[in-house]
Amino acid sequence: MEPDAAALDSAFMALADPVRRSIIARLSRGPATVNELAEPFEISKQAVSKHIQVLEQAELVTRTREAQRRPVHLNPARLEALTAWIDQYRLVREGQFRSLDAVLRSNAATGSGPDTRSHHEQFPEAQRS
C-alpha cells in the first residue's frame, strides 16, 4: 500500500521537527506518557502535547487509555509505509550504481577505460629534473 501525496507530506512535515523526531526515537523503545516524553525537553508539557498531536495527525503515533494513563505508541505500520516509499527510490539508485560499476569493470578489463597509469608512467619526461 503506497501512501498518497497528502499522507507523505503530512508525515515528512511532522518528521521535519527535531523534537518530534526525538519523540519518535523515544517511542521506538516502547510506549510513554506525555510526562515521560516531556522529561528531556526544556519546553512545557503543553508544547510536547502539541508535538504529539502533529504526530497523531500524520498517523505516526497513536494514543490508548490504560486506567488514568494515556500512553503514546509508535505506529510501526505507518513508518513501514514511509520506509517502503523511500526504498523504491533507493533500489533504483542502487541498480544504477551496479550498472555503472559493471561498465567500469568491463572497461578496465578491456583496457578501454580511463588511463589508469600513474602520472609518472604517462609522462616519463616529467621525471627528468
Side-chain angles (χ1 to χ4, degrees), residues 33-117:
T33 63
V34 173
N35 288 342
E36 292 167 340
L37 292 171
E39 284 175 12
F41 303 108
E42 294 185 15
I43 57 176
S44 69
K45 288 177 188 159
Q46 182 179 7
V48 171
S49 288
K50 288 184 180 187
H51 282 294
I52 292 169
Q53 286 174 354
V54 171
L55 292 169
E56 275 185 298
Q57 289 169 354
E59 299 178 14
L60 295 168
V61 301
T62 59
R63 289 190 202 198
T64 58
R65 185 175 293 281
E66 297 172 1
Q68 298 298 316
R69 291 177 35 123
R70 289 208 40 176
V72 181
H73 304 265
L74 194 58
N75 181 355
R78 184 76 165 120
L79 290 174
E80 191 170 314
L82 293 175
T83 301
W85 182 84
I86 292 168
D87 275 350
Q88 70 183 348
Y89 298 102
R90 181 185 57 81
L91 293 172
V92 168
R93 287 288 177 211
E94 283 180 4
Q96 291 171 336
F97 285 128
R98 278 193 296 277
S99 295
L100 178 59
D101 284 343
V103 168
L104 293 174
R105 276 194 303 275
S106 173
N107 287 347
T110 62
S112 63
D115 195 345
T116 56
R117 295 176 295 160

Side-chain angles (χ1 to χ4, degrees), residues 12-22 51:
F12 285 120
M13 284 193 296
L15 292 171
D17 185 277
V19 171
R20 293 192 284 266
R21 287 193 307 273
S22 292
H51 282 294

